[in-house]
Amino acid sequence: MLETNLGWNDILFMLKGAGVTLSITAWAMLGGTILGMAFGLARTTLPWWLNAPLGAVLDVLRSVPLLIQFVLANSFKSIIGVNASAFTVACVMLSLYTASYCSEIVRGGILAVPATTRRAARSLGMTYRQDLAHIVFPMALRVALPNWIGLVLSVMKDTALVLWIGIVELLRASQIVVTRLQEPLLVLSVAGLIYFLMSFPVARLGARLEKRWHEND
């Protein structure tokens, strides 16, 4: 029988860290999805002289490692005198990082709608907004959803990097327990199981929605 010093208080401490992970993920996906939809739509409609600078900014957010963005943002807030918590910094930066990827998902979904379909909608008297609401967005959603689900899972794992700015999320909580108990294999296995239990329902929901749409085609 396995003997371990890992107790319920340690597991509850890790679950509390998991709650922080879920909270940051939720805020990042909310802000990132809203901004990503706006940026993605803008990149399909703006003239090149506005599209190019926006695309360059989003490229920077995608290219610079997220850890560097966290550390720089957390340092600059003190330099410029912004009174923001590390949790707020993490949510804001992860939202912007998420938006940079979500914008490409949205843009790809919109561009996947055939131009002939959009012309047909406009020939029937639909306005630009009606075309987006009734034709483009429903069709683009089917293309974008699998990638968006993948982005959710990726962002959930990326939250582990916020430990570098002093936030005790699941991975940091696990490290604290490991330091105290000196049982890394067991503790990290429990942490991995918690990550799986948080991620699996999201993945299954995406698969069910995608299957339902295919059945309705």
Side-chain angles (χ1 to χ4, degrees), residues 14 170-171 174 186-196 198:
M14 293 171 65
L170 177 55
L171 183 59
S174 303
L186 177 60
V187 174
L188 292 179
S189 295
V190 173
L193 176 61
I194 295 174
Y195 273 115
F196 172 77
M198 293 190 299

Side-chain angles (χ1 to χ4, degrees), residues 43 54-66 69 96-105 107:
R43 295 210 63 201
L54 176 59
V57 172
L58 296 175
D59 284 340
V60 169
L61 289 171
R62 282 193 297 270
S63 302
V64 176
L66 186 56
Q69 295 184 42
L96 293 174
Y97 184 79
T98 302
S100 68
Y101 282 96
C102 189
S103 65
E104 288 302 299
I105 293 174
R107 188 170 74 95

